[in-house]
Amino acid sequence: MEATAYSGIVPHGKTSTTTIQPIQLDRSTHALLTIDYAHHEIHSGSHYFFQASHELGSAGTIVYLITTPDTDKYAHFIYTADGSAITQIDLYEGADRTGTTPQTIRNSDRNSANTSGLVIHVGISSGTTDGTLIKTYKGGSSSAKSRSGPTTRGDSEIILKKNTKYLFRITSSTSANLCNLKFEWYEHENKTA
């Protein structure tokens, strides 16, 4: 049976402050077409990432210092990290450390000129306090890879506190531990109405 035009009420949504359009359904399944909020932030040019890989020796560490700006635009942050051997991954909040080498942060929308308010350094040069341990993970073996972090954003997201330093440390228990990490976040100011 052929579909006929509907003349009743059709739901609409705003695509800008002046444009209203009908809500679309997928032609094949008639499912409502939506994207999640983090995906929307990619399209808005407010989603960022940082990736790195390291080979750590026995008892070797790599330390990153993440500094949030003193603004009301909060970083909605997730990370993934892994090692090819036994690996410990720790995230601390409220460090008093100073970072050494600034890292390049990339916008997930490669056409956007927006830049992140977060600053990431690898290595620390001064300070005495790592802060409060808020997440930790240890896993893997000589034959099994370790992995910490989400496969989806869900309840793994942390909204980082403004004007705060976070220390992220990866520690290897064995030599030749191939470690990878990825930080992802979008920056969002809470709505007031």
Side-chain angles (χ1 to χ4, degrees):
M1 185 164 137
E2 188 175 317
T4 58
Y6 180 69
S7 59
I9 297 172
V10 177
H12 285 68
K14 291 177 92 175
T15 55
S16 73
T17 55
T18 58
T19 305
I20 297 176
Q21 297 183 3
I23 293 174
Q24 299 281 324
L25 299 179
D26 176 73
R27 288 179 185 256
S28 172
T29 63
H30 296 172
L32 182 63
L33 299 177
T34 63
I35 59 174
D36 65 30
Y37 196 82
H39 190 163
H40 163 74
E41 291 289 345
I42 293 173
H43 290 219
S44 297
S46 300
H47 189 281
Y48 306 93
F49 69 94
F50 169 77
Q51 285 185 255
S53 60
H54 302 279
E55 183 174 339
L56 299 179
S58 182
T61 64
I62 189 76
V63 178
Y64 286 88
L65 190 68
I66 304 162
T67 306
T68 60
D70 190 11
T71 69
D72 289 333
K73 192 174 265 195
Y74 302 132
H76 294 239
F77 183 86
I78 60 172
Y79 67 85
T80 53
D82 64 44
S84 61
I86 296 172
T87 308
Q88 183 163 334
I89 299 157
D90 297 312
L91 178 64
Y92 296 85
E93 181 178 71
D96 72 351
R97 306 289 193 173
T98 301
T100 52
T101 307
Q103 300 298 290
T104 301
I105 293 170
R106 306 208 184 275
N107 192 308
S108 296
D109 178 354
R110 304 306 299 138
N111 298 294
S112 176
N114 294 347
T115 57
S116 174
L118 252 65
V119 177
I120 298 174
H121 290 85
V122 64
I124 51 176
S125 61
S126 65
T128 58
T129 305
D130 290 344
T132 302
L133 182 64
I134 61 172
K135 281 197 165 204
T136 189
Y137 170 86
K138 188 172 186 177
S141 69
S142 58
S143 61
K145 184 174 174 179
S146 64
R147 183 175 188 283
S148 175
T151 54
T152 60
R153 181 168 287 273
D155 59 3
S156 298
E157 177 180 285
I158 304 168
I159 302 174
L160 300 183
K161 189 185 291 188
K162 72 178 185 177
N163 196 29
T164 301
K165 292 181 180 180
Y166 290 84
L167 189 137
F168 187 91
R169 179 182 288 121
I170 300 174
T171 304
S172 175
S173 65
T174 59
S175 61
N177 188 354
L178 304 176
C179 299
N180 300 286
L181 76 101
K182 183 176 185 181
F183 300 148
E184 293 182 80
W185 67 97
Y186 65 86
E187 296 176 4
H188 170 78
E189 190 166 346
N190 289 342
K191 308 293 186 206
T192 56

